[in-house]
Structures are given as C-alpha cells and as structure tokens.
Amino acid sequence: MSTRNGGPAGHLGHTDTITVVQLTDTHLRAEGELVHGSIDTHANLLAVLDRLAVARRPVDAIVLSGDLADNGAPQAYRRLRAAVEPVADALGARIVYVMGNHDERSAFGEELLGRTVDPDLPLDSVVDVAGLRIIALDSTIPGHHHGRLSEQQLAWLAEVLSTPAPRGTLLALHHPPVPSPIPGPDFLRLEHPDLLASALAGSDVGMIVCGHNHLTGAAALAGIPVWVAPALSYRIDTLAPQGRHRGVVGFGFTRIDVLGSGMVATAVEATAATTVYDRPEQEVLDQLAALAERR
C-alpha cells in the first residue's frame, strides 16, 4: 500500500498527510525596484515557486503570511498574484493571503481579494482545506509596525474555535506572539500575547505560524507551538556583532505537514546549495524499513 507521498504505509509513512507551504515577507515592489537597493524579491519569489512546480509534490494550501508588498503598491500585489496563482492552480493548492505591517489594506483587498474593503477594519478569514481549518488574523495597525489584535477579533476567533475542525486548526498571523532575542523584532512583536493565549485556551489550534522577524525560530504560546518562518526577501543576522543590527542575503520558506493528529514545520533553504547526494526516495524508504525490521 502507498501513501499520498509515495512512501510505505505504517510508521514510516502517512496516508492522510495535509501539506501547507508558508511563504512570508516577500516584500515585493513594482517592476524594476529593489528592496534596500540590492534585493530582487521578485526573483526570490519566482525561484521558490519554480522549485515547488518542479518538485510536483502535493501541496494543499499556500499561506502567504504578510509583508507581501514592501510599500503597499498595487503593482506589487499584481506581480504577486501573477506569480503565485498559476503555480497554486497547477498544484491544486488553496491560497491564503495574510496582512503584514508593510501591506496596505485597500490595495491588498482590491488586488489580492478582489473586493473593496474598509481600511479601518482588519482582514481576517477562515478556510477549510481537507478538514484542516486555516485561520488568518490581521494583526496590523495602520501606520505602525508592531502588532495588535482587537477585542472584537479575539471574540470572533474564540467563537470560530468553539467548534473543533476535523484535522485541527492552523493559525496564521504576521506578528509573532512571542519574544525575540533580537531587539528590533522584539520591539515590534504582537502586543498583549496573553489575550491571544486566552482566546486559544482549550482549542484545537495545533500550531501558530507567523513571519515579520526575517529569521527562523520556534517557541510556544500557552503550550501551542509557534513557528517564526524564514523570510523570502532577506534575513536578519541573528548573531551580529554586539550593538549591530544587520540584514544579510538569504531566503527560505516553510513546509507544514499535518501528520495524523500532529503538525510539523520544516524550514526549507532556498539559496543555492551543493548537492551531497540525490537518491530515489522509495529506495531510501525501503532501506529504512529494512533497518527497522532488524530491531
């Protein structure tokens, strides 16, 4: 018997896997414009999307968790849709767009959601993907870079979560609800994470995914894993010299797999790498299965 991913049944494979790809902090600009004068974020995005298309692995949803445009320009959102949607269609993946602090609600709604929105109201959403509930929370404050969730948003969230989903819930928002060891990102994190923790208490949320910090990290909020995903634009140097805040070249993305009743987040390096080995996956799985039988 084979799984969806072609592996053997049993503890080495999963017949009911749901795979979500998280792309965050794309920071797209209008054609010809570079971020910080040197980073072609559109090229980074195309490289990752090409990798997804070539891999042809099953992807059930693509979550874009904020700072999709660098300056809220409508042209940037149009470039994003033109790049992402054909690949998502080919993979059969649902797209979930999430607001970030560099995004502008009116242009975001018009260009990505196809509708006119009230710029003073958060753009929250909930979608079902093969029994997995994905909730997108808009943690942005227009004109500011730190994050906040209103009482109304938290009440709405608690109401949605009052009914469990068949495969649990993945919560996506831009601002991490956990501290950061880097002073800049820590200063700009989500306000009052304890209020979010209260809204999540007793719920089926299996993981919280976010971006914003331009680094890869993991923590927990009220016992729920929090994944801070690598950015698609550039990285923050997490061990810069004392007293320095430094951005460096490099980008990546995340695959999140719902395996049985659990969720696993895996950072994927997108910059060029030298191959150490390249073997048929089934050959590796057969070898592991044979080793397991020796126990």
Side-chain angles (χ1 to χ4, degrees):
M1 185 169 97
S2 295
T3 71
R4 189 193 74 165
N5 291 329
H11 74 285
L12 293 177
H14 301 268
T15 59
D16 57 353
T17 301
I18 299 172
T19 299
V20 177
V21 168
Q22 181 192 6
L23 311 178
T24 195
D25 296 270
T26 52
H27 284 273
L28 290 194
R29 297 184 68 94
E31 186 174 358
E33 296 181 3
L34 302 177
V35 171
H36 291 295
S38 62
I39 304 297
D40 187 344
T41 53
H42 187 251
N44 289 0
L45 174 64
L46 293 181
V48 167
L49 292 173
D50 183 64
R51 182 168 179 179
L52 294 176
V54 170
R56 294 191 299 174
R57 288 181 175 269
V59 175
D60 298 288
I62 299 175
V63 174
L64 295 101
S65 55
D67 281 2
L68 307 185
D70 189 52
N71 56 5
Q75 302 94 316
Y77 295 122
R78 289 195 285 269
R79 295 182 86 196
L80 182 74
R81 284 190 65 176
V84 173
E85 293 190 356
V87 174
D89 288 344
L91 294 172
R94 184 77 177 266
I95 299 175
V96 180
Y97 293 117
V98 185
M99 278 279 296
N101 53 288
H102 279 258
D103 293 307
E104 196 281 319
R105 281 186 186 144
S106 295
F108 185 102
E110 188 72 30
E111 302 297 341
L112 296 183
L113 307 181
R115 57 187 174 90
T116 301
V117 302
D118 186 334
D120 295 323
L121 295 178
L123 296 175
D124 302 325
S125 64
V126 56
V127 300
D128 176 87
V129 177
L132 171 69
R133 178 168 53 198
I134 302 177
I135 297 177
L137 283 181
D138 180 351
S139 57
T140 66
I141 309 168
H144 298 272
H145 288 293
H146 65 290
R148 179 186 301 149
L149 297 172
S150 69
E151 292 183 10
Q152 292 79 7
Q153 285 179 284
L154 293 169
W156 172 83
L157 176 63
E159 175 62 26
V160 171
L161 292 173
S162 64
T163 302
R167 299 299 303 278
T169 297
L170 180 69
L171 177 63
L173 71 163
H174 186 64
H175 295 84
V178 293
S180 172
I182 312 301
D186 189 62
F187 183 73
L188 299 176
R189 62 189 170 108
L190 184 76
E191 286 184 352
H192 305 301
D194 55 309
L195 299 180
L196 175 60
S198 295
L200 300 179
S203 73
D204 67 349
V205 173
M207 185 175 291
I208 302 168
V209 297
C210 45
H212 189 51
N213 286 4
H214 288 245
L215 52 84
T216 307
L221 178 71
I224 300 171
V226 176
W227 177 254
V228 184
L232 253 176
S233 47
Y234 63 92
R235 293 190 173 108
I236 294 297
D237 187 345
T238 56
L239 202 61
Q242 181 70 26
R244 305 297 298 174
H245 181 82
R246 184 161 63 187
V248 296
V249 172
F251 63 104
F253 63 101
T254 300
R255 64 174 286 180
I256 300 154
D257 294 284
V258 182
L259 307 171
S261 60
M263 299 183 188
V264 178
T266 305
V268 183
E269 178 66 43
T271 47
T274 301
T275 300
V276 175
Y277 60 80
D278 186 355
R279 298 172 57 193
E281 183 179 55
Q282 192 60 51
E283 177 184 294
V284 174
L285 291 172
D286 290 343
Q287 180 180 1
L288 294 174
L291 290 172
E293 290 173 1
R294 296 178 186 175
R295 295 189 214 175

